[in-house]
Amino acid sequence: MIRKVLTLLAVMTMCLSLTACNKAVIREKEHVIGVSLANMSEQWRLVLKEELEEEAAKYDDITLIISDAAGNTEKQIEDVNRLMEYGIDLLIISPIDTKALSPVVSSVYSEIPVIVMDRVVEGYDYSLFIGPDNELIGEQEAKKVLELMSERNVKGTVLELRSENLASDERSDAFRSVMNEKKLTTMNLLIPEATRDCAEDNLADFSSYAANNIRAIFAHNDYMAYGARLALEKLGKEDVIVVGLDGYPGPGGGLEMIKSGIIDATVSCPTGGIEAIRYAVAILNGESGVPKKVLLRSTVIDSLNIDEAKEPITIEGGKIRVGYAQIREDSAWRKANTDSIIKAAKEFNIDLEVKYSETSLEEQIEQVREFIKDDVDVILLSPFVEDGWDQVLAEAKAANIPVILSDRSVSSKEDMYTSFVGGDFEEEGRKCGEWMLSDMGEGKARIMELLGSKGSTPASLRSKGFNESFRDNPNCEVVYSAYADFNADLGKIVLSEYIKENGLDVDYIFAHNDDMAIGAVAAIEAAGYRPGVDVKIMSVDGTKEALKMVKKGKISCVSECNPLLGPVLMKAVTDLCEGEELPLTIVTDETVFTRDTDKSLFKGRKY
Ligand code: GYE
C-alpha cells in the first residue's frame, strides 16, 4: 500500500512539475516528445491523440507532452514555443494554418527533429511528413460509389457532403474528377459542422432530391454519412446509397455503422499516430532508413471485407528472405541504387537475391514468378514500366507474399502491392519548372523536353510536374519533346539531330534524368554552342558527373532523385516482417542543386 501511495505521489509530482515548470522538463525518461495538436474537437484528432499515447506507452524511455491549440493558430504558435522551453527532444505537429506555422516549424527544425502530420508546411524544413493520400482517398470514394450504383443498377446524381478544410478540397477534387470522367452529375453541399446532426438538418429538404434525382451520397466523414441516412429515412428515401469516410473502430465509429447497415461503405483514413511515434523513436535513436514523407494507406471497407484480417507475415526461422527484381541499366544512378540495396541488406541481416532484367516487362514478370515459387518472405520490384502487372501481383497476393515497389511504381490498384519506396517524381519535375520560371523573368521560353523510358512512372510524373508548373504562363511553350529512354547516348543523338535540323532554337531543355542531360551537353558543345549560355539545361537525379557540370554552369538545375534507397527499403522490410503495417508511399529526402546551392551540399556525395 505504501508503495502505491509513493508511486502516486511521484506521478503527481511529475505532472505538476510539467504543468508548473516553464524550464527544462524533469527528465524521468530519456526522450521528451512534444506534440502540438490543432484541436481535440474533431474525432480523428482524438483518435490521433489516443494512438500517440498508446504507442508511446510501449516505450519506457519516452515522455509525451501534448498541447491542444483548440483551433487557434496564435495559440498553436505559443504552444510550440512553450514546448521548446520545456526542452523537448523532438516535436510532432499537426498544423492548423500551414502558411503561418511554416516559419515556426523551420525555426524549431534548426534545433531539434520535427515530424509534421496531416498537412504539410511550406518548404522542406522538417524531418518527416506523415499524412493521408487525399487524392487516392477521393478516387477510392468515387470508384466505390460508381461500383455500388452499377451493382444496384441505379443512375442519377451523386451528392457530396463536404466540410471546410484543405484535405476536404483535395479529396473532393479527386472525387469529382473521377465522376466527371464517367460523365456522372454531381452536386455538393458544404455542411457547416462536420457532424451527424448538422448533416441531418441540412438534408431535411426533400425537394432537392426530387428535383435532382439524387441516388448516392458521399459524405466526407462517417458522422455526416450517418446524418444523411437519418434524413433519408425520414424522407422515405432508404434506397439512396450512402458512403462515408474515416472508418474508425469502436462505438459510434464508421465500422459499426457498416455492420448495422447505416452506411454502405467507408474509406479508412488512418491518423498516422502509431507511425509518428515509431519514426520518432527511430529518429531519436539515430537509426538509418527514416524517409522524408510517408503517405498512409487508406482502404475501402464494406460489409463484405469488414472482417478481413490482414495475415501477418510469418518468418520460418532465421533470416528474412527477399527477392529483388531489379532493372539492368548502365547508369550511375542505377549502380548506386543497386549497391545501396545490397549493402543495406547485409547491414539489416537480410538474405537478398537480386535478378536483373534488360528492361523487359515479360522477363521481370517471370523473375517475380520465380520468387513466388521460391516462397521468399518479401519481393522487391523496380518495374521498368507501369502497366502489365495485375496478374503477377495477384499471384503474389494469393501466395501471401508482400511486394514493395522500389524507385518506380505500377498502374495496378493500390491494394495489389504493399508500399512504394522512392522519389516524389512529380515534385522533382515541378522543382525544375519552378527554377526555370525564376530564371526566365518576363521573357519567353521555348522549351525542349527529353523524355525518360516510355510508360515508366518517373517519366510520366516528372513530365506532369514540370508542365503543370508553368501551365498558366503564356510565355512558356514546349516546342519539341522526344524519348531518350534515360540514356546518355540517346540524349546526345536526339540533340545532335535536332540541332542539325533546326539549329539550337530553344531556351531551356528539361531532361528527365542526368544521363540524358549529359548526352545533351556533349551534343550542344559538339555543335559549337555553349550549354548554360546559349541554352539552359535542367535535369533530375543528382549524380556526381551532373553536379560537376552544375558547378561549371553547363547544367543549370538538378533536382535530386535519391538512389540510395537501401536503408529505407530494408527498414520497411524489417518493420513489415515485425508485423507493422507499412505506409502506402514512402518518399526519400531530395534537394535541388543550382550554382547558388551551398558548396557544402556538393561534398561527400555517395553517387
Ligand atoms: O531517375 C534514372 C533511371 O527509376 C527513378 O531511372 C529511376 C530513374 C532515374 O534510369 O536515372
Side-chain angles (χ1 to χ4, degrees), residues 329 333-334 407-408 425 458 462 486 512-513 515 541 561:
E329 186 179 54
W333 193 96
R334 190 62 59 184
D407 91 78
R408 295 191 185 183
F425 306 125
R462 282 171 188 163
F486 292 127
H512 288 179
N513 84 326
D515 293 51
D541 278 344
C561 175

Side-chain angles (χ1 to χ4, degrees), residues 179-423:
M179 285 297 168
N180 296 341
E181 200 183 294
K182 299 294 182 187
K183 309 268 187 283
L184 261 83
T185 311
T186 58
M187 285 175 63
N188 79 76
L189 191 56
L190 189 60
I191 305 293
E193 282 176 48
T195 63
R196 186 190 76 185
D197 296 346
C198 195
E200 183 182 356
D201 296 345
N202 279 269
L203 286 176
D205 172 8
F206 177 77
S207 60
S208 67
Y209 296 99
N212 294 287
N213 183 27
I214 288 168
R215 309 304 304 274
I217 293 179
F218 157 42
H220 279 244
N221 77 23
D222 295 324
Y223 306 104
M224 292 195 284
Y226 194 166
R229 179 62 78 201
L230 295 174
L232 290 165
E233 283 171 352
K234 284 180 185 155
L235 298 164
K237 303 286 292 175
E238 285 84 352
D239 60 341
V240 173
I241 292 161
V242 177
V243 174
L245 207 175
D246 286 335
Y248 294 133
L255 300 186
E256 188 181 72
M257 293 179 199
I258 289 177
K259 288 192 169 170
S260 49
I262 293 168
I263 61 176
D264 296 289
T266 189
V267 172
S268 68
C269 178
T271 69
I274 296 169
E275 290 81 357
I277 296 298
R278 287 177 179 165
Y279 279 120
V281 168
I283 290 169
L284 290 168
N285 291 341
E287 285 177 28
S288 64
V290 176
K292 185 73 176 179
K293 175 164 84 169
V294 297
L295 298 182
L296 301 163
R297 175 178 290 279
S298 51
T299 306
V300 179
I301 303 171
D302 59 19
S303 55
L304 300 176
N305 69 353
I306 191 166
D307 294 322
E308 239 173 49
K310 266 194 174 303
E311 282 181 53
I313 297 167
T314 46
I315 310 293
E316 282 87 34
K319 286 181 167 181
I320 298 171
R321 294 173 51 238
V322 171
Y324 180 30
Q326 169 65 304
I327 294 171
R328 183 185 304 288
E329 186 179 54
D330 179 20
S331 77
W333 193 96
R334 190 62 59 184
K335 182 178 180 326
N337 175 245
T338 303
D339 292 351
S340 152
I341 289 163
I342 291 171
K343 180 169 176 285
K346 290 192 180 86
E347 287 164 0
F348 279 76
N349 194 28
I350 285 172
D351 178 0
L352 176 75
E353 181 193 349
V354 186
K355 292 181 191 284
Y356 297 92
S357 156
E358 290 293 345
T359 65
S360 130
L361 170 65
E362 292 67 28
E363 190 179 17
Q364 285 196 309
I365 288 174
E366 277 323 300
Q367 290 169 350
V368 171
R369 285 201 167 109
E370 286 162 27
F371 288 137
I372 294 171
K373 213 165 99 203
D374 292 351
D375 194 26
V376 297
D377 298 309
V378 180
I379 292 172
L380 291 186
L381 167 64
S382 176
F384 178 60
V385 290
E386 293 176 321
D387 296 336
W389 292 97
D390 292 356
Q391 178 55 41
V392 75
L393 289 176
E395 292 166 22
K397 192 167 184 174
N400 198 28
I401 298 177
V403 176
I404 296 177
L405 303 175
S406 171
D407 91 78
R408 295 191 185 183
S409 194
V410 296
S411 57
S412 304
K413 263 172 76 18
E414 71 288 341
D415 60 358
M416 299 307 291
Y417 58 88
T418 299
S419 277
F420 163 78
V421 175

Side-chain angles (χ1 to χ4, degrees), residues 547-576:
L547 296 187
K548 272 187 210 140
M549 290 192 178
V550 169
K551 284 189 270 190
K552 289 179 187 159
K554 293 185 177 182
I555 295 178
S556 302
C557 172
V558 172
S559 178
E560 183 181 21
C561 175
N562 191 336
L564 307 179
L565 301 178
V568 179
L569 277 167
M570 296 307 153
K571 175 172 171 46
V573 166
T574 308
D575 290 349
L576 187 63

